[in-house]
Amino acid sequence: MTILGTALGMVFYLLQVVSGESGYAQNGDFEDAELDDYSFSCYSQLEVDGPQHLLSCAFEDPDVNSTNLEFEICEGLLEVKCLNFSKTQETYFIKTKKFLLIGDSTICVKLGGKHITCQKLNIVKRVKPEAPFDVKVIYREEANEFVVTFNTSHLQKKYVKDLLHEVVYRLEKNENDWMHVNISSTKLTLLQRKLQPNAMYEIKVRSIPNTNYFEGFWSEWSPSSHFRTPENNSGKMDPVLLIISIVSFFSVALMVILACVLWKKRIKPIVWPSLPDHKKTLEQLCKKPKKNLNVSFNPESFLDCQIHKVDGIQARDEAEAFLQDTFPPQLDDSEKQRLGGGVQGLNWPSQHAVITPKTFGGESPLRCLSGSVTVCDVPVIPSSRPPDCREGGKNGPHVYQGLLLGAGTTNSTLPHLFPFQSGILTLNPAVQGQPLFTSLGSSQEEAYVTMSSFYQNQ
Amino acid sequence: MFHVSFRYIFGIPPLILVLLPVASSDCDIEGKDGKEYQNVLMISIDELDSMIEIDSNCLNNESNFFKKHSCDDNKEPLFLNRAARKMRQFLKMNISEDFNLHLARVSQGTLKLLNCTTKGKGRKPPSLGEAQPTKNLEENKSLKEQKKQNDLCFLKILLQKIKTCWNKILRDAKEH
């Protein structure tokens, strides 16, 4: 009996001890929450102290009693199987060169040598870079920009070399209005026009691994740096620029005024030349026309003019001789008479010939000569003096300066065969009112052409 | 006649079964994208190469190891496995702590990436060489120094071969 009782007592005692160690509570509930209480997080810092790496772990619940708790890392180490963490305040850390940096490691929380909770993690995926430092802001006046530079210890490291940097800046008076810029280098340019003038700014930087192998968390912020933007100088202009702008303004104004003043007289004739008007040209040629001057090509307006027949020609012999030399002797006698009678006082080496057979014929209008020399539609060009009909019979012989000689048998023009300088014609005052210009209707075009050539010659 | 058949039926197939694992390679290369090699192993190989100060004539010597093992096609994992195991022998040289750590990183890291399951994994690596019987102190010192130089020369060549073989694996992985 005694033995039996003792045995039963021992069994119950063992049961109680075992249940107590397994965490079985008296109220019957499993305390699974104990595992959550010991949850922890870790981060690594590679080459933080020369070739040594740092691994830091801490409980997520700050109320955990970590008095007797220890951390241990196994696997993923060189030459050893496991390493124990050191403790400082509430943080556990290990500083060693013996991380393999390939594959996973196992970190366990131990209490009294027994594992409470373990976590598998890859050290290279929990890298926290060191904070940047030495943030400087330099103002470049010539480019109106601010150059931000900073330094990081990872530039000299072998493993975690490539980082992504986040630069943030704000107006000091705006507490939470930060501007963010991400860069991969250690230099940033801020344009002055994007910042407020005459204001104080705060700027700081942090980093994160930016490689396809090492990953992790943002570093701590760098110490803040402050800079002031200059006052707005857009109102002040460069004096040289000011002078140039004033001179150019006045030049443009002067050009506009001159253009307005000289538009009609000088500019418009060049830009939009006017076609010659025959009436105006005639007026210009006549220079000081008298008020009652009858300038017209209409023969009816000359009806009251005295038109004298030209009977005699002083240089008759010369004219005949010239005509015989230049033309073949095909002319009829009647034509010779006409030529002889009609042309008077001609000096043949002149520009134009004066042949008016009509004047010899009397009443008949101008007829063309047969033979080699024909005078067809011979226009009469007045002299330089305006033909004043009232003075026609009084002033004596008129001077005809230009007449156009018609074509010969070959229908070719003969304007140059009878060069005409100035001839004196003796007019028969008895013959008056001869319609000298009756046939001018058909030769008006030639008269216009001659007039325009006169205008051009002038 | 009957006993001859038994010899061939029951003798040869077991022999084949025994020999088959020896000839086959059970290595599965991880990290064919080259991340582990470029970010960790290559750094340690370069560090070791810079630490080994040796004559340039060293590179001309061909060891028996390289005559037996080479990074041929479809044999890259096997070569790297053999080379990584060979490197462990040099840990005993105790040149420096950093030297040993880089050596261990290359060896252990390569074996971890190869993930081989060949037999003899737990075998103790053969030693570099047997100790010579001491004739006198000076001769022993010179012999040791000569042996050290030879070992370092071999290690330098081995590191180059490992680097070349890894580059070949990564190049083949990119092409495929």
Side-chain angles (χ1 to χ4, degrees):
Chain A
M1 271 307 272
T2 310
I3 296 168
L4 184 63
T6 309
L8 283 171
M10 283 178 69
V11 167
F12 282 120
Y13 175 73
L14 283 170
L15 276 172
Q16 193 176 4
V17 168
V18 168
S19 64
E21 283 187 354
S22 67
Y24 182 80
Q26 290 179 355
N27 58 4
D29 294 330
F30 284 101
E31 287 188 357
D32 289 334
E34 283 187 7
L35 294 173
D36 295 334
D37 291 337
Y38 293 115
S39 60
F40 59 91
S41 62
C42 303
Y43 67 88
S44 63
Q45 287 182 307
L46 305 183
E47 297 175 277
V48 66
D49 184 9
Q52 288 198 326
H53 314 302
L54 177 70
L55 180 64
S56 298
C57 297
F59 290 107
E60 290 178 0
D61 185 4
D63 297 328
V64 168
N65 185 6
S66 60
T67 309
N68 297 320
L69 294 175
E70 293 175 349
F71 273 77
E72 183 187 56
I73 178 171
C74 297
E75 298 173 19
L77 300 173
L78 297 170
E79 297 178 344
V80 294
K81 205 172 178 185
C82 297
L83 289 170
N84 286 320
F85 281 65
S86 304
K87 185 178 176 182
T88 171
Q89 294 181 353
E90 298 299 323
T91 307
Y92 296 83
F93 70 94
I94 180 169
K95 194 183 263 188
T96 180
K97 302 178 195 176
K98 296 186 180 179
F99 289 139
L100 176 59
L101 303 178
I102 294 175
D104 294 336
S105 300
T106 304
I107 299 173
C108 295
V109 179
K110 293 195 308 183
L111 176 63
K114 291 185 180 179
H115 290 179
I116 297 174
T117 179
C118 293
Q119 211 178 86
K120 212 164 196 177
L121 55 85
N122 193 338
I123 291 172
V124 300
K125 303 298 179 187
R126 290 177 177 259
V127 176
K128 182 178 178 180
E130 294 177 58
F133 57 95
D134 197 18
V135 180
K136 291 180 184 175
V137 182
I138 298 167
Y139 175 60
R140 288 182 60 204
E141 191 173 354
E142 61 274 10
N144 291 332
E145 62 187 17
F146 293 90
V147 178
V148 181
T149 56
F150 55 91
N151 204 350
T152 174
S153 58
H154 286 266
L155 294 173
Q156 288 82 35
K157 295 186 192 299
K158 288 178 284 201
Y159 294 106
V160 186
K161 288 182 286 190
D162 297 327
L163 299 173
L164 179 70
H165 308 286
E166 184 186 20
V167 181
V168 296
Y169 59 94
R170 66 169 182 183
L171 275 167
E172 280 191 339
K173 56 185 179 182
N174 298 340
E175 286 195 355
N176 293 323
D177 190 14
W178 290 96
M179 305 292 290
H180 298 257
V181 180
N182 287 338
I183 55 173
S184 57
S185 64
T186 58
K187 185 180 173 183
L188 173 67
T189 302
L190 297 174
L191 299 175
Q192 183 183 352
R193 56 185 168 87
K194 293 191 177 179
L195 304 173
Q196 284 194 17
N198 196 22
M200 194 62 128
Y201 278 85
E202 180 188 358
I203 188 167
K204 56 185 181 182
V205 188
R206 64 177 180 176
S207 307
I208 194 169
N210 192 29
T211 67
N212 56 359
Y213 185 66
F214 295 102
E215 299 172 7
F217 313 102
W218 284 105
S219 69
E220 298 297 330
W221 286 106
S222 67
S224 291
S225 183
H226 302 268
F227 64 97
R228 177 176 284 276
T229 52
E231 291 182 8
N232 194 4
N233 290 333
S234 63
K236 295 181 186 177
M237 284 185 69
D238 191 13
V240 174
L241 194 65
L242 185 66
I243 291 167
I244 290 169
S245 61
I246 291 170
V247 168
S248 59
F249 172 74
F250 279 114
S251 302
V252 168
L254 187 66
M255 282 174 64
V256 168
I257 292 166
L258 284 173
C260 291
V261 169
L262 299 176
W263 172 255
K264 273 194 176 177
K265 287 187 180 178
R266 296 284 183 97
I267 299 170
K268 193 184 174 186
I270 296 168
V271 174
W272 191 263
S274 58
L275 295 172
D277 188 2
H278 301 292
K279 187 173 181 181
K280 289 184 183 177
T281 305
L282 189 64
E283 288 175 2
Q284 286 177 2
L285 285 173
C286 296
K287 287 190 180 176
K288 293 182 183 178
K290 293 182 182 177
K291 286 185 181 180
N292 295 325
L293 182 67
N294 186 10
V295 181
S296 173
F297 287 103
N298 190 1
E300 293 176 0
S301 60
F302 293 98
L303 291 175
D304 57 344
C305 293
Q306 289 184 356
I307 298 170
H308 304 282
K309 243 184 164 179
V310 179
D311 287 330
I313 298 173
Q314 290 179 0
R316 179 177 176 180
D317 292 338
E318 292 177 6
E320 285 181 359
F322 182 75
L323 284 172
Q324 283 176 3
D325 289 336
T326 54
F327 291 106
Q330 295 176 6
L331 298 174
D332 295 336
D333 292 335
S334 61
E335 291 173 354
K336 283 184 182 176
Q337 278 185 353
R338 286 178 187 173
L339 281 171
V343 181
Q344 182 184 8
L346 293 176
N347 293 324
W348 291 111
S350 59
Q351 292 180 357
H352 301 281
V354 180
I355 296 175
T356 57
K358 302 283 192 259
T359 57
F360 307 131
E363 300 92 357
S364 63
L366 288 172
R367 288 180 295 174
C368 295
L369 292 173
S370 60
S372 61
V373 179
T374 58
V375 178
C376 299
D377 297 331
V378 177
V380 177
I381 298 172
S383 63
S384 58
R385 286 182 55 200
D388 192 353
C389 295
R390 280 174 280 178
E391 300 174 355
K394 298 176 187 175
N395 293 331
H398 292 266
V399 178
Y400 294 90
Q401 286 189 344
L403 282 177
L404 189 65
L405 186 63
T409 52
T410 59
N411 289 329
S412 60
T413 56
L414 302 170
H416 300 292
L417 290 178
F418 299 96
F420 174 70
Q421 290 177 349
S422 61
I424 300 171
L425 292 174
T426 306
L427 300 176
N428 186 1
V431 179
Q432 296 181 1
Q434 296 299 320
L436 187 64
F437 299 100
T438 52
S439 67
L440 283 178
S442 60
S443 65
Q444 282 182 357
E445 291 181 356
E446 295 175 354
Y448 281 108
V449 172
T450 307
M451 290 294 291
S452 64
S453 68
F454 256 81
Y455 175 73
Q456 287 173 3
N457 288 336
Q458 282 204 342
Chain B
M1 187 73 176
F2 186 68
H3 63 278
V4 173
S5 303
F6 267 107
R7 193 180 300 166
Y8 284 105
I9 291 169
F10 295 107
I12 294 173
L15 193 65
I16 294 170
L17 286 171
V18 167
L19 290 174
L20 201 60
V22 177
S24 65
S25 170
D26 295 330
C27 294
D28 181 25
I29 299 180
E30 294 176 9
K32 281 187 179 179
D33 52 1
K35 289 180 189 176
E36 289 85 355
Y37 169 71
Q38 288 171 352
N39 290 283
V40 180
L41 296 179
M42 196 170 73
I43 292 168
S44 291
I45 291 171
D46 292 339
E47 286 289 316
L48 286 169
D49 196 55
S50 64
M51 287 180 189
I52 298 172
E53 295 173 356
I54 208 82
D55 294 334
S56 58
N57 295 331
C58 159
L59 299 174
N60 296 328
N61 295 335
E62 276 289 324
S63 171
N64 289 333
F65 178 86
F66 300 117
K67 289 176 186 174
K68 287 181 189 176
H69 310 290
S70 60
C71 188
D72 295 332
D73 292 341
N74 299 321
K75 290 185 181 178
E76 298 92 348
L78 189 63
F79 172 78
L80 287 176
N81 190 16
R82 296 274 168 83
R85 289 176 183 279
K86 189 74 175 173
M87 286 178 75
R88 282 198 250 168
Q89 300 174 14
F90 295 91
L91 292 170
K92 296 175 185 177
M93 294 175 71
N94 286 325
I95 296 173
S96 67
E97 186 186 359
D98 289 342
F99 184 89
N100 280 4
L101 285 173
H102 285 298
L103 203 66
R105 185 171 286 117
V106 175
S107 172
Q108 208 168 322
T110 303
L111 290 170
K112 189 156 191 168
L113 289 173
L114 288 175
N115 198 17
C116 292
T117 57
T118 52
K119 288 181 182 178
K121 195 177 177 182
R123 273 188 303 179
K124 194 178 177 183
S127 61
L128 287 168
E130 294 177 357
Q132 296 281 336
T134 306
K135 288 187 176 177
N136 55 53
L137 199 63
E138 288 181 3
E139 283 183 8
N140 201 16
K141 274 186 182 179
S142 65
L143 279 171
K144 276 188 177 178
E145 194 62 36
Q146 185 63 38
K147 188 177 177 303
K148 187 179 178 182
Q149 291 296 316
N150 291 339
D151 291 340
L152 289 175
C153 178
F154 173 80
L155 180 61
K156 199 171 181 88
I157 298 170
L158 185 64
L159 289 169
Q160 284 187 2
K161 298 277 186 187
I162 291 172
K163 210 173 179 180
T164 306
C165 203
W166 266 112
N167 289 335
K168 187 184 173 192
I169 291 170
L170 297 175
R171 190 174 60 244
D172 293 341
K174 275 186 185 177
E175 286 173 2
H176 297 300

